[in-house]
Amino acid sequence: MSITTTKADDRPRVDPGDQVMRVRGVTLRFGGLVGLSDVALDLNRGEILAVIGPNGAGKTSLFNSLTGMYVPQEGTIVLRDRSGGEHSLLGRKPHLVNRLGVARTFQNIRLFGALTALENVKIAAETRQKSGPVSIMLGLPNARREDRESDRRALELLHFVGLDGLLNELAASLSYGQQRSLEIARALATDPQVLLLDEPAAGTNPTEKLDLEVLIRRINRELGVSVLLIEHDMRLVMSVADRVTVLNFGKVIASGSPAEVQRDPEVVAAYLGAEMAAEMTGATQAEIGGVAEDGSVPAQRDGEEQR
């Protein structure tokens, strides 16, 4: 991965015909329970796509299906690589999905707490090394060269996410927001073309949320990484997302621009509530649809999403 950046204003226009990931008809069952039902979505190259919905809507089940942790019984999941080649992700092991260019973070932070920030990111960078165990043990030139490259990449990414002053701090000693940033840096170290962020704002304070908003935009605009985002913080979603897809009971009930989704009556009824939707759009509740809801967005969770 090159960390050479461009100005945020130089962000290329998203081409809706250039899909980096295509999902069609994905259905996931757990015994008699349907977690996902005929789900379809497209992630275009260079865009930020948010997936929202109430607790238990199937958002994390979708992420687990895209990254090989779950294997849907029906449907197709196709990734288009940088050269235009297409690869089916369905049924691939998670590490093979990652090698193809898909990285993710988790609702519950999964860092190596006893390792330093630098070591956490370097471990991820080393997954891109081609040297075998014998070359590494013997310290052959190619292995030493790749080791230096992993160090360089890890240092650059820690600087990119604002943690360059904490290189030698144990991950467990970092603040919650810093741990979130470290987890993102570790995911980026695998050189993805698609980054899946699973509730990155959960548990963060208002200042950390603003920093996260800036970071997501920079990942997308400066590194050229397409982002698929699950998030309950609607202000963050509506601020950074190019498009929004809404899940409810495992089904897609709406997809479109943030403005379109905010005004969709089915979305208002299922998730946003008229008061919240009106607050975000500046419309009246009557204009939104007058849905008799309490207007609150479901609370963020500490644990993983219910299936």
Side-chain angles (χ1 to χ4, degrees):
M1 171 188 291
S2 172
I3 311 297
T4 302
T5 61
T6 60
K7 294 180 181 179
D9 293 340
D10 293 338
R11 181 186 185 189
R13 183 178 65 85
V14 174
D15 181 357
D18 186 11
Q19 298 166 353
V20 65
M21 183 178 285
R22 183 174 68 250
V23 179
R24 294 290 184 273
V26 167
T27 297
L28 177 69
R29 302 184 186 91
F30 303 97
L33 177 66
V34 179
L36 297 171
S37 178
D38 195 29
V39 170
L41 63 82
D42 295 319
L43 176 63
N44 299 314
R45 196 174 300 279
E47 87 170 330
I48 301 173
L49 173 64
V51 178
I52 67 171
N55 292 348
K59 302 183 297 297
T60 294
S61 290
L62 174 62
F63 267 31
N64 288 342
S65 297
L66 298 180
T67 55
M69 297 183 70
Y70 293 163
V71 181
Q73 288 80 11
E74 299 174 21
T76 59
I77 303 170
V78 176
L79 179 77
R80 181 177 295 168
D81 63 30
R82 294 180 176 99
S83 62
E86 295 192 346
H87 309 271
S88 173
L89 302 184
L90 200 65
R92 288 186 187 265
K93 299 294 184 183
H95 71 282
L96 297 178
V97 173
N98 179 255
R99 285 185 184 177
L100 285 173
V102 180
R104 71 170 296 180
T105 64
F106 295 85
Q107 290 179 23
N108 295 323
I109 296 174
R110 300 183 183 183
L111 295 170
F112 301 110
L115 299 182
T116 66
L118 179 60
E119 289 167 338
N120 266 273
V121 181
K122 186 177 177 181
I123 283 174
E126 287 172 346
T127 64
R128 291 300 182 187
Q129 293 183 0
K130 297 179 181 179
S131 300
V134 174
S135 296
I136 294 172
M137 287 188 294
L138 294 177
L140 297 182
N142 63 322
R144 294 199 303 271
R145 183 172 57 253
E146 287 188 330
D147 188 62
R148 290 193 299 270
E149 173 60 22
S150 294
D151 277 331
R152 183 194 63 79
R153 182 180 300 168
L155 289 169
E156 286 186 335
L157 285 168
L158 287 167
H159 174 73
F160 184 80
V161 302
L163 296 178
D164 46 326
L166 300 169
L167 303 179
N168 297 314
E169 295 292 327
L170 295 182
S173 70
L174 301 178
S175 71
Y176 195 81
Q178 290 168 342
Q179 289 183 12
R180 286 285 183 190
S181 295
L182 178 57
E183 189 177 36
I184 291 172
R186 187 177 64 178
L188 290 172
T190 65
D191 193 21
Q193 58 176 328
V194 175
L195 177 63
L196 281 62
L197 299 175
D198 195 348
E199 295 195 34
T204 58
N205 61 42
T207 299
E208 291 168 338
K209 283 184 172 69
L210 291 175
D211 291 340
L212 175 64
E213 181 179 325
V214 172
L215 179 58
I216 292 172
R217 285 200 185 101
R218 292 185 64 219
I219 290 168
N220 178 244
R221 300 178 185 184
E222 299 179 18
L223 301 185
V225 176
S226 305
V227 178
L228 191 57
L229 169 70
I230 291 176
E231 187 50 63
H232 276 299
D233 189 309
M234 288 300 99
R235 287 169 183 79
L236 174 62
V237 167
M238 299 307 171
S239 173
V240 303
D242 296 300
R243 291 188 301 120
V244 180
T245 292
V246 188
L247 288 179
N248 194 30
F249 294 110
K251 297 181 178 181
V252 174
I253 62 171
S255 187
S257 69
E260 291 169 338
V261 167
Q262 288 174 49
R263 291 182 176 274
D264 187 291
E266 192 171 0
V267 177
V268 173
Y271 185 53
L272 294 179
E275 183 178 333
M276 174 60 74
E279 181 181 340
M280 290 191 296
T281 62
T284 65
Q285 289 193 41
E287 289 171 332
I288 293 295
V291 180
E293 295 284 339
D294 64 6
S296 62
V297 174
Q300 294 174 342
R301 304 179 307 284
D302 291 327
E304 288 210 342
E305 175 182 325
Q306 300 172 359
R307 293 173 178 172

